[in-house]
Amino acid sequence: MRQDNRLSCVLHVLLHMAEAGGPMTSEALARALNTNPVVVRRLMGGLREHGYVHSEKGHGGGWTLSCQLDRVTLRDIYEALDAPRLFAIGNRSEKTECLVEEAVNDAMSGVLADATAQLLARFGQITLAALHADFHQRLAARHAPATLCK
């Protein structure tokens, strides 16, 4: 099963936007992700609907943050992306008449529900501001200028 990397991509883009201090085009953000600008526009749609980003068309336009980094968590962004599936594993089938499969399903469902709750709780503890601060600590340790990824 293919990994869903949208959350990672969006967090990456949001931190670049925080560094930019002004509008960033889909093209510039796409370069940071090594992808196509269309992919960026699709990713940003849900964030715009939730009020985390804003876009302006035309010369001097682009994407800007419309949220405070210390008030937005990874869970908020995850939910703005329509809560993608967290785990690649799951039950073979949900409807079964096999008692063995029922036992397996119950065990798997319980464990996955617990893991999901723990992961979402942890996502809720990490703000964009914390990621931004971590970036700046790494930047200071490298003594390097802040630039977009290549």
Side-chain angles (χ1 to χ4, degrees):
M1 176 177 243
R2 192 167 170 263
Q3 287 185 0
D4 186 329
N5 64 8
R6 290 177 296 159
L7 180 59
S8 178
C9 289
V10 166
L11 295 171
H12 186 152
V13 162
L14 292 173
L15 293 183
H16 276 293
M17 291 170 65
E19 284 302 299
M24 291 187 73
T25 65
S26 297
E27 290 75 16
L29 294 171
R31 281 192 300 275
L33 293 176
N34 193 27
T35 192
N36 189 293
V38 172
V39 172
V40 170
R41 287 188 281 276
R42 268 192 243 131
L43 283 172
M44 302 300 270
L47 298 181
R48 181 179 42 218
E49 289 173 15
H50 283 83
Y52 299 127
V53 297
H54 176 74
S55 63
E56 284 289 328
K57 294 182 180 182
H59 182 70
W63 295 97
T64 54
L65 290 173
S66 53
C67 63
Q68 294 179 8
L69 298 182
D70 62 339
R71 293 189 177 188
V72 179
T73 67
L74 273 62
R75 183 171 183 162
D76 296 327
I77 301 303
Y78 167 80
E79 289 172 355
L81 294 172
D82 293 327
R85 186 175 175 163
L86 291 172
F87 301 107
I89 60 173
N91 294 329
R92 188 179 72 87
S93 71
E94 295 302 321
K95 302 269 186 197
T96 184
E97 293 183 19
C98 176
L99 296 178
V100 170
E101 191 166 31
E102 281 182 18
V104 169
N105 286 357
D106 284 349
M108 292 282 294
S109 296
V111 170
L112 290 172
D114 291 347
T116 298
Q118 289 179 22
L119 183 58
L120 292 177
R122 184 69 180 115
F123 278 178
Q125 296 170 347
I126 303 170
T127 64
L128 294 180
L131 292 180
H132 193 241
D134 183 41
F135 160 70
H136 277 277
Q137 287 176 336
R138 292 168 190 269
L139 184 65
R142 283 196 189 165
H143 308 289
T147 58
L148 280 178
C149 301
K150 296 180 182 184

